[in-house]
Amino acid sequence: MAKHWSQSASAQYSVAACIGFLAALLIFPGWYFTGLAPFDRAMPSDVAQHIISQRYYFADSWHWPLTRTALLLRPDGMNISLTDGIPLEAMFFKLFAALLPPHFEGVTIWVIFAAVSQPVTAVFAVRGAGKTDFLIALLVSLLAISMPLQPMRFYHAALSTHSMASFSLTWRKWMQRA
């Protein structure tokens, strides 16, 4: 027998993603969605540091360790993990660096991802606890995106991805039960 729409995982995840995307639209300026930070705007120092780190990383060749760039702190170079350059996301985008526009940075894209994934992984956690009602999923999505510190954390990209912790803890619990 088919599940009732209110218990449908895809409906709950879709609504959660929409809530996250709407929150991102309300919180961030439009250029955050492009990966192209404007040169004529002041931005919080953390955001600027992350973007500068990634721009140098994308402009450099690959090194070992994979998150190192020789263009920062010459001649020895620096690991972008130390500048909160979001290494996981940076390595992904660096694979496509030749295809990306000049001055591309993925920090702002990562922050948008963080905003969208927060309510989605909250639904994942609630469903992992056995609660499949649509209203519960809707409420936990709204709560996940509206925590008082959450909008302020989005401007520090390295601290904004609480969704990864939520997802990994829930996944671990699911695997222990299997």
Side-chain angles (χ1 to χ4, degrees), residues 116-128:
V116 173
S117 66
Q118 186 67 24
V120 172
T121 57
V123 169
F124 182 71
V126 166
R127 290 186 64 84

Side-chain angles (χ1 to χ4, degrees), residues 19 27 37 63 124 144 177:
I19 288 170
I27 294 170
H63 299 281
F124 182 71
R177 277 192 273 167

Side-chain angles (χ1 to χ4, degrees), residues 52-83:
I52 290 166
S53 171
Q54 280 200 357
R55 284 188 176 160
Y56 278 99
Y57 179 67
F58 293 153
D60 200 359
S61 59
W62 288 95
H63 299 281
W64 190 259
L66 294 176
T67 54
R68 183 177 155 269
T69 177
L71 299 178
L72 287 171
L73 287 180
R74 298 193 119 200
D76 296 328
M78 177 179 234
N79 191 320
I80 63 164
S81 302
L82 300 174
T83 60

Side-chain angles (χ1 to χ4, degrees), residues 1 31 51 56 62 78 101 129 135 145 149 170:
M1 186 170 168
W31 59 265
I51 290 172
Y56 278 99
W62 288 95
M78 177 179 234
L135 183 59
I145 204 68
L149 286 178
T170 305

